[in-house]
Amino acid sequence: MQVRSIYNQVISDFSKTFNTCSDCKDKSCAAAILRPEELEQISQNSKETSFRKGDILVQAGSMTSNIIYLKSGLVKEFVVNPGDREQILQIVKKYTYLGLQSLFGDRVNHYSYAALTDVKVCYIDINIFNRLVRENGNFAYEILVSVSRDSLNNFHRFMSQSQKKIYGRVADAILYFTRIIFEQESFELPFTRQEFADLIGVSRESATRVLLKFQQEGLLSIHGRTITIQNMGMLEKISRTG
DNA sequence: CCATTAATTTAGT
DNA sequence: ACTAAATTAATGG
């Protein structure tokens, strides 16, 4: 994985286009609320950039100077524990902001972010973003909604993870993808088995073993990274009972 | 630019 | 941990 120079990218992109946020087809729910002049402020203090699959967008420990808005693609939020073990906290879908925790909290990024697919993002100056939150209550409300929804999701996932055995965890992960990430019953895993295991906190071997077992029992069909759910009811049951 | 091969990564046991 | 398969990078034309 290479950390590519954001600087070069930003500078090279600069001359090409001068997009305005009001033209953007991929606005967040929050940004859709902003008044034209507010959008204009964001336009003048933001920059669109793209990353390739595997690129690291943010390193844990770095300072936050920009909010990153994910326009397209998937990103993983993770930490690397001492002992080299990676823990994936969540998969981030498009149309969400990264680094909001740092806006209201610490100013230091507590997590790392890496692109799972090719990705388009917008860097938005943190001061502008901050000001809009203070000045526009409706905007702030939408931001709050998304932060809360997120934290509920994750908190719930971690709570159940700590109680469940491996079967339940795998079932949870499958349901997480089908319900929250892709919202369909057939999807392609955006990452390796190792990362799948890192998401649910089990060894790679166990994860593949259980996936295979689920397939044999007719709960799923698996072709490489493509998973199709065959028996949703049973998966839910396994998820509930662990 | 494309094709072939070498090297690295991934998956399954 | 090891092997096979797959993906990605390097090379040469």
Side-chain angles (χ1 to χ4, degrees), chain A residues 27-211:
Chain A
K27 278 194 279 288
S28 66
C29 306
I33 283 174
L34 292 173
R35 295 191 299 269
E37 62 270 27
E38 292 172 322
L39 274 176
E40 190 50 34
Q41 288 178 37
I42 290 190
S43 278
Q44 288 172 8
N45 293 280
S46 68
K47 194 59 220 163
E48 182 175 334
T49 307
S50 52
F51 285 94
R52 302 248 304 281
K53 175 176 162 185
D55 287 343
I56 292 183
L57 284 70
V58 176
Q59 278 284 7
S62 61
M63 295 289 282
T64 323
S65 51
N66 293 285
I67 297 293
I68 300 175
Y69 177 64
L70 186 59
K71 275 182 85 169
S72 69
L74 285 178
V75 167
K76 69 171 174 178
E77 179 182 76
F78 66 103
V79 291
V80 181
N81 298 329
D84 214 6
R85 191 159 176 68
E86 187 171 301
Q87 172 69 231
I88 296 176
L89 296 150
Q90 67 168 328
I91 311 299
V92 183
K93 286 200 293 187
K94 65 180 177 177
Y95 305 149
T96 61
Y97 294 99
L98 312 183
L100 288 179
Q101 300 95 334
S102 304
L103 177 64
F104 304 115
D106 204 347
R107 294 229 124 200
V108 171
N109 293 297
H110 286 215
Y111 310 122
S112 297
Y113 297 86
L116 290 173
T117 63
D118 290 356
V119 145
K120 284 204 180 83
V121 303
C122 287
Y123 287 90
I124 302 170
D125 184 276
I126 197 169
N127 297 310
I128 300 300
F129 199 88
N130 217 321
R131 198 167 82 218
L132 291 175
V133 168
R134 288 170 187 278
E135 289 174 357
N136 186 330
N138 290 331
F139 180 67
Y141 176 80
E142 286 300 325
I143 297 297
L144 196 52
V145 166
S146 69
V147 172
S148 305
R149 198 183 344 94
D150 231 58
S151 96
L152 274 179
N153 254 337
N154 291 331
F155 194 61
H156 186 245
R157 278 192 317 110
F158 282 111
M159 286 299 285
S160 45
Q161 195 173 111
S162 63
Q163 294 168 354
K164 280 173 191 166
K165 304 278 181 261
I166 176 160
Y167 281 65
R169 293 190 190 191
V170 173
D172 275 357
I174 301 289
L175 292 173
Y176 174 63
F177 280 115
T178 185
R179 286 194 185 138
I180 296 177
I181 304 300
F182 295 105
E183 301 179 41
Q184 49 189 18
E185 300 203 346
S186 180
F187 55 86
E188 184 176 350
L189 276 185
F191 46 41
T192 66
R193 303 296 151 123
Q194 180 65 64
E195 289 174 299
F196 181 78
D198 291 338
L199 178 66
I200 56 182
V202 302
S203 73
R204 183 177 64 87
E205 288 87 337
S206 308
T208 43
R209 206 188 85 241
V210 173
L211 283 177

Side-chain angles (χ1 to χ4, degrees), chain A residues 201-235:
Chain A
V202 302
S203 73
R204 183 177 64 87
E205 288 87 337
S206 308
T208 43
R209 206 188 85 241
V210 173
L211 283 177
L212 190 65
K213 182 122 184 157
F214 280 178
Q215 181 173 32
Q216 284 165 353
E217 292 176 3
L219 304 186
L220 306 170
S221 89
I222 302 171
H223 297 101
R225 294 184 179 181
T226 303
I227 294 182
T228 306
I229 293 185
Q230 309 280 5
N231 188 340
M232 181 67 93
M234 197 60 200
L235 270 178

